[in-house]
Amino acid sequence: MPQLETKQTKTAKQTAVTLINKKKQGEKISAVTAYDYPTARVASEAGIDMILVGDSLGMVLQGYKNTMKVTMDEIVYHTRLVSNANPLSLVVTDMPFGSFHISPGSAVENAIRCVKEGGAEAVKIEGGRRRFKAIEAIIESEIPVLGHLGLTPQSIHQLGGFKTQGKIKAKADEILEDAIELEKRGVFAIVLESIPAELAKTITESISIPTIGIGAGKYCDGQVLVFHDLVGFTNLYLPKFVRKYADIYSTIHDALSNYINDIHSGNFPGDNESYHINPNPEAQEK
Ligand code: KIV
């Protein structure tokens, strides 16, 4: 397949440190999920700061109704596909449900797998106070950790579904306290998912590490979206916080319909898409 020339808009490798510096300099952070090599390439070449190998792949790629079944082997495999693209974006692996809940020791072992086998440059851990010990142990082992507060999809059974968090004061205070504590414990940034914009603003102003919002309004230091949602690679329901920047589903649907029609009509392949016998009797097979 021909490799297309694409414009590289960034020249510097992004790291946990460069993202912290962006907040200091008042520069917004762009992040997107990627689960494979071609997506990681285009994300990097478009200038995305951070690629998240999200456990959302359980829903987006594997067709599960939530993220609970994603395994360590699967997340490591997809991280490897992403890191094979050598993106300039920071590569963060989302540690799956069950991989950091049993003990800080096994959390460290699994985080090390993400780095050694997958090529991750940081890991993401969902949850606040109940996860502090695991988070501290992973940071202690020299792996940067991205926190994740608000709607944490790995807690849906306890939360009662995919519900916006922090709408009432007591819960908002808890999320704010967790964010402040996560910074003290050394995470380099925090994803804030599906919380009121006002709460995200308070958190963003209360900590010196970046907040990366998804359904958390405009005051966050950066934004993350699921790649397949933002390019419209689905015709299923999307939450209201998603902005669709393309309609890839329709583009692919049309391309496949045209391909089918061309096969049926005999219009594909054409003469210029076929190989032909060389009429020169002296020609050698190369
Ligand atoms: O799994 C994921 O893709 C995520 C983002 C939506 C933040 O956690």
Side-chain angles (χ1 to χ4, degrees), residues 32-35 52-57 60 67 94 124 126 146 148 151 153-154 191-193 212-214 224-227 241:
V32 73
T33 61
Y35 317 123
L52 176 65
V53 187
D55 65 352
S56 51
L57 69 85
V60 176
T67 59
D94 204 2
K124 176 165 83 59
E126 284 188 17
L146 173 63
H148 185 160
L151 169 54
Q154 293 173 11
V191 169
L192 299 176
E193 180 164 351
I212 316 284
I214 174 161
V224 60
L225 280 177
V226 170
F227 172 81
F241 59 76

Side-chain angles (χ1 to χ4, degrees), residues 55 58-59 62-70 153 156-157 162:
D55 65 352
M59 300 169 81
Q62 299 174 327
Y64 293 126
K65 64 180 190 309
N66 58 48
T67 59
M68 308 302 281
K69 290 187 176 156
V70 175
I156 49 157
H157 297 314
F162 292 93

Side-chain angles (χ1 to χ4, degrees), residues 121-136:
E121 295 152 346
V123 296
K124 176 165 83 59
I125 298 282
E126 284 188 17
R129 53 201 71 189
R130 296 197 198 101
R131 305 297 152 225
F132 287 165
K133 288 201 180 90
I135 289 169
E136 282 175 325

Side-chain angles (χ1 to χ4, degrees), residues 105-121:
S106 63
V108 172
E109 272 171 15
N110 285 323
I112 288 175
R113 278 196 68 193
C114 296
V115 174
K116 278 183 106 91
E117 297 174 40
E121 295 152 346

Side-chain angles (χ1 to χ4, degrees), residues 8-155:
Q8 182 91 43
T9 54
K10 271 203 170 59
T11 49
K13 175 67 189 158
Q14 299 301 311
T15 67
V17 176
T18 61
L19 295 200
I20 293 173
N21 288 339
K22 280 184 197 294
K23 172 156 183 162
K24 288 192 189 129
Q25 287 150 10
E27 196 188 324
K28 293 272 188 183
I29 295 166
S30 56
V32 73
T33 61
Y35 317 123
D36 58 36
Y37 171 85
T39 311
R41 271 199 67 191
V42 70
S44 171
E45 289 172 6
I48 288 285
D49 296 313
M50 182 175 87
I51 290 175
L52 176 65
V53 187
D55 65 352
S56 51
L57 69 85
M59 300 169 81
V60 176
L61 294 189
Q62 299 174 327
Y64 293 126
K65 64 180 190 309
N66 58 48
T67 59
M68 308 302 281
K69 290 187 176 156
V70 175
T71 66
M72 270 306 296
D73 284 349
E74 287 163 350
I75 211 83
V76 165
Y77 168 75
H78 284 282
T79 304
R80 197 158 58 237
L81 304 190
V82 164
S83 58
N84 281 350
N86 290 319
L88 291 176
S89 333
L90 172 69
V91 177
V92 182
T93 300
D94 204 2
M95 291 191 58
F97 177 67
S99 68
F100 54 91
H101 302 73
I102 296 168
S103 68
S106 63
V108 172
E109 272 171 15
N110 285 323
I112 288 175
R113 278 196 68 193
C114 296
V115 174
K116 278 183 106 91
E117 297 174 40
E121 295 152 346
V123 296
K124 176 165 83 59
I125 298 282
E126 284 188 17
R129 53 201 71 189
R130 296 197 198 101
R131 305 297 152 225
F132 287 165
K133 288 201 180 90
I135 289 169
E136 282 175 325
I138 295 169
I139 294 171
E140 196 65 26
S141 71
E142 313 300 343
I143 300 172
V145 173
L146 173 63
H148 185 160
L149 296 173
L151 169 54
T152 46
Q154 293 173 11
S155 320

